[in-house]
Every structure is written in structure tokens, then in C-alpha cells.
Amino acid sequence: MNTLEKDIQELRERLSDGVTARAYRRILSYMSRLRTTFAEQRGEHAVSGVYQGYFDMTYFALFSDELKERNLKLAVVFNYASFAFEVWLAARNRKIQREYWELFRNAGYKKHRLVEPAVGVDAIATAALAPACSMEDEDGLAARIAEDVAAFERDIVSFLSDVDAKSEP
């Protein structure tokens, strides 16, 4: 079993060559620029600040009117476990998250992966963003991420609108 001291020593060794710290700074810097791109497209009020995370995820949230009125939001995430960009449908709190997860599950939603509520889980549904793009082409990657986020959002909003239409008398 690793002790805290052993873990810290391992981290120190990995940081000593500069590669890990440089890569982490590049990811954070890219996420900040990506956030700025979305703020320019959607308006500053519709985008949160960047959450740096604890080597689990770095993300920022997007608040569209259609989702906000339902206490929902999107998160553009760099997931360190999968080492990939993702978009998550998330809720204002755990109660709303569970309600929407149940709505999606009970309606047979299959377009994107549903994530079962659990401790530490923030997503209702997720999708990979720009899976084949390289971070070397930052502008191309940003454009692809923006397209993929817009498509995910359209899918979610369309699904919710269809559910609403079916529940009206």
C-alpha cells in the first residue's frame, strides 16, 4: 500500500523532468482558450470559469436558456482518466440529476451514454468530443469540439422537447 510520503515522492520524481508540469499547463491553457471561444460565441454570461480539478477533470460549464430553465447545463470536460475531451449533461443538484437520469432512462434514451447517479458522479449523459483530433491543431480541435457540443446540445434539447410534447394533453 502506498503511503502519502511515497505518493508525494513519486509525484516529485515525475515532475522533476518538467514533462508532466508542461503538459498539465498546456491542457489548462487550452481549456482556458476553449472557454474563451465559447464565451465569444454564446456570451460571457453563458459560460462559467474553468475548474482546474485534481488530475481527475478540468472543465467549464455552458448555460443555454433551454437547459437553464430545466436547471440543467453542459460541461465541456477534459477527462484525465480517459485522457479525452467530453461533453456532459449535468444538473444544478443531485436531486435534479437523478430526476433527469430517470426521465432519460425510462424514455429509452439511447443517443448518448447515460451515467447512473452515484457518489462523485456529475453527468447525466456524456459524449466524446473530437475523438480523432490532435491537440497540436488547437484551432481545428476547438472548431470540432464546438461542433460536437452543439450537436450534443441539439440532441438533448430535441429529446426533452419531444418528452414535453408527449406529456401535454
Side-chain angles (χ1 to χ4, degrees):
M1 180 163 83
N2 282 342
T3 65
L4 176 59
E5 193 60 36
K6 285 181 183 176
D7 288 347
I8 289 172
Q9 181 59 35
E10 177 73 21
L11 179 60
R12 173 183 271 161
E13 289 172 16
R14 292 185 185 245
L15 290 174
S16 68
D17 68 4
V19 174
T20 302
R22 233 180 1 263
Y24 184 65
R25 278 193 305 271
R26 291 282 307 267
I27 290 167
L28 294 180
S29 176
Y30 183 74
M31 289 296 287
S32 292
R33 286 193 303 280
L34 188 59
R35 183 225 169 264
T36 298
T37 298
F38 277 95
E40 289 169 352
Q41 292 172 354
R42 295 172 175 242
E44 193 65 38
H45 69 284
V47 184
S48 76
V50 173
Y51 169 77
Q52 291 183 345
Y54 297 103
F55 278 118
D56 56 347
M57 66 179 133
T58 297
Y59 75 91
F60 57 89
L62 302 174
F63 307 98
S64 70
D65 291 339
E66 297 87 359
L67 295 176
K68 196 174 184 179
E69 69 188 20
R70 298 171 184 270
N71 293 311
L72 298 171
K73 60 188 170 187
L74 299 179
V76 177
V77 179
F78 184 81
N79 184 332
Y80 292 88
S82 63
F83 227 74
F85 292 95
E86 300 172 352
V87 59
W88 296 358
L89 175 65
R92 183 170 52 93
N93 61 43
R94 299 283 183 224
K95 180 178 181 279
I96 295 167
Q97 176 185 359
R98 178 162 287 283
E99 289 170 2
Y100 275 97
W101 176 80
E102 288 175 0
L103 174 81
F104 278 71
R105 184 195 62 189
N106 293 340
Y109 184 81
K110 301 275 191 234
K111 181 80 177 179
H112 301 288
R113 186 175 74 88
L114 295 181
V115 182
E116 189 167 349
V119 175
V121 173
D122 297 317
I124 299 165
T126 67
L129 297 174
C133 292
S134 166
M135 284 189 69
E136 292 293 328
D137 178 13
E138 292 183 1
D139 292 338
L141 179 59
R144 178 66 190 274
I145 287 172
E147 289 171 15
D148 290 355
V149 167
F152 180 83
E153 184 174 22
R154 281 191 305 273
D155 292 339
I156 296 297
V157 169
S158 174
F159 169 79
L160 292 170
S161 295
D162 289 349
V163 168
D164 288 346
K166 290 176 185 173
S167 66
E168 291 177 1

